[in-house]
Amino acid sequence: MKTIAIESLQNVPEYTGFTNHETITIREGQEWNGHTYGFCVGMIKDDGTVKSCFKEDRKNGNTQLFDRLKAEMDLYEKHCHLRKRDSLELYDATLYYILYRRENHCSSKPTVEDSYVDGCMNVQYNLEYEILLIADEGLKRYLTVSYTGMGSYSQSFYEQLTSLEDLFAEWFEERAHGFQIDEDGQKTVTFYDDIGESCEVELYSIRELLSMITSIRVVKCEKKIISDTNEPGSLERDL
């Protein structure tokens, strides 16, 4: 089992039983690359029926805690088509969630605005950039790419971007980062909605995936001066 730390986007009241910092558990061999995760706390059916997910509310036969939380927090709403377990009857409802964000997720990092790869001979560069892909129905996929270069051989951010098609092709071939390709050449990439549920998005080509890019930004650009280690008193220092 693997645990992933998540943090709330708002202050969560103690009476909910949740805290501002929670964890989610991922089974061995599985992966979760979502950006946010939601805990469902209640629903309101389209016919006006209110149901609470709190044990205390269910025990007392009311929706007091859910109603209180809905008044105090800006809960995330998702309208869904659901099916009753007993009769299999379909119905529509709005589900309400306490939303959390994956801790240290790239989306929470600021954009680098004061540094770039300038190609100095004695400098090592550590670069990380974020790619945001958007599919239908609000599905998102954040990707982070790390790059380390040395001196004038270092690729600029622009050169990194022009090789994205090759990078995606490599991930499909390796079946890495939720990129899959079957024997018939059908490609899929795992996307996520805002409550953390995954969805496999089918693609006809890598170019179709490239068209889903809505944002690319640098979230890390570190420089380190590397002196000639053969010289006495050689130094390494961060810029």
Side-chain angles (χ1 to χ4, degrees), residues 35 101-102 104-110 130 142 217 219:
H35 50 289
R101 176 175 59 200
R102 187 171 185 156
N104 300 315
H105 192 261
C106 60
S107 61
S108 65
K109 298 178 181 179
E130 168 203 279
Y142 285 90
R217 64 192 187 95
V219 295

Side-chain angles (χ1 to χ4, degrees), residues 55-68:
K55 291 182 180 179
E56 184 175 338
D57 280 348
R58 293 185 176 183
K59 180 181 177 181
N60 297 331
N62 58 37
T63 58
Q64 183 176 342
L65 287 182
F66 173 51
D67 293 338
R68 178 182 175 185

Side-chain angles (χ1 to χ4, degrees), residues 19-238:
T19 65
N20 290 338
H21 295 272
E22 296 285 345
T23 59
I24 56 176
T25 302
I26 308 300
R27 294 179 180 177
E28 197 69 34
Q30 295 184 341
E31 62 179 13
W32 183 77
N33 295 304
H35 50 289
T36 50
Y37 187 88
F39 292 105
C40 187
V41 293
M43 73 162 68
I44 301 178
K45 296 182 180 180
D46 283 8
D47 64 7
T49 304
V50 181
K51 287 194 173 183
S52 172
C53 293
F54 291 107
K55 291 182 180 179
E56 184 175 338
D57 280 348
R58 293 185 176 183
K59 180 181 177 181
N60 297 331
N62 58 37
T63 58
Q64 183 176 342
L65 287 182
F66 173 51
D67 293 338
R68 178 182 175 185
L69 183 64
K70 194 158 66 73
E72 293 179 357
M73 286 190 71
D74 184 16
L75 298 175
Y76 180 83
E77 302 178 19
K78 182 177 182 179
H79 194 265
C80 299
H81 304 290
L82 304 172
R83 188 185 297 272
K84 292 182 179 179
R85 292 183 180 179
D86 51 359
S87 65
L88 301 182
E89 179 186 349
L90 291 172
Y91 65 94
D92 292 340
T94 300
L95 278 61
Y96 292 81
Y97 296 83
I98 299 176
L99 210 59
Y100 286 74
R101 176 175 59 200
R102 187 171 185 156
E103 286 192 6
N104 300 315
H105 192 261
C106 60
S107 61
S108 65
K109 298 178 181 179
T111 303
V112 173
E113 298 179 341
D114 57 359
S115 186
Y116 70 103
V117 178
D118 50 22
C120 292
M121 291 294 294
N122 63 332
V123 174
Q124 175 180 299
Y125 302 90
N126 293 307
L127 182 73
E128 180 178 295
Y129 55 94
E130 168 203 279
I131 304 171
L132 174 57
L133 305 166
I134 300 291
D136 292 336
E137 299 181 2
L139 295 172
K140 299 173 186 166
R141 181 62 197 273
Y142 285 90
L143 301 168
T144 54
V145 181
S146 299
Y147 167 75
T148 299
M150 189 69 185
S152 58
Y153 294 100
S154 300
Q155 287 187 329
S156 67
F157 181 49
Y158 170 76
E159 291 170 315
Q160 287 282 306
L161 297 186
T162 57
S163 63
L164 279 183
E165 188 170 358
D166 294 335
L167 177 65
F168 288 169
E170 181 181 319
W171 286 354
F172 278 119
E173 184 177 345
E174 296 175 351
R175 291 169 172 77
H177 310 291
F179 283 55
Q180 299 290 331
I181 183 170
D182 62 21
E183 296 178 354
D184 298 324
Q186 177 65 60
K187 299 177 178 64
T188 61
V189 175
T190 307
F191 279 65
Y192 297 85
D193 64 14
D194 287 335
I195 61 171
E197 293 183 350
S198 62
C199 180
E200 302 302 316
V201 175
E202 294 185 355
L203 303 160
Y204 293 105
S205 66
I206 296 178
R207 288 297 180 92
E208 183 181 2
L209 183 62
L210 291 171
S211 71
M212 296 178 176
I213 296 176
T214 61
S215 171
I216 304 178
R217 64 192 187 95
V218 180
V219 295
K220 174 183 174 183
C221 185
E222 297 178 346
K223 300 179 182 180
K224 178 181 289 186
I225 293 179
I226 309 295
S227 300
D228 188 347
T229 54
N230 294 322
E231 293 182 0
S234 61
L235 299 173
E236 290 189 4
R237 65 183 180 86
D238 295 329

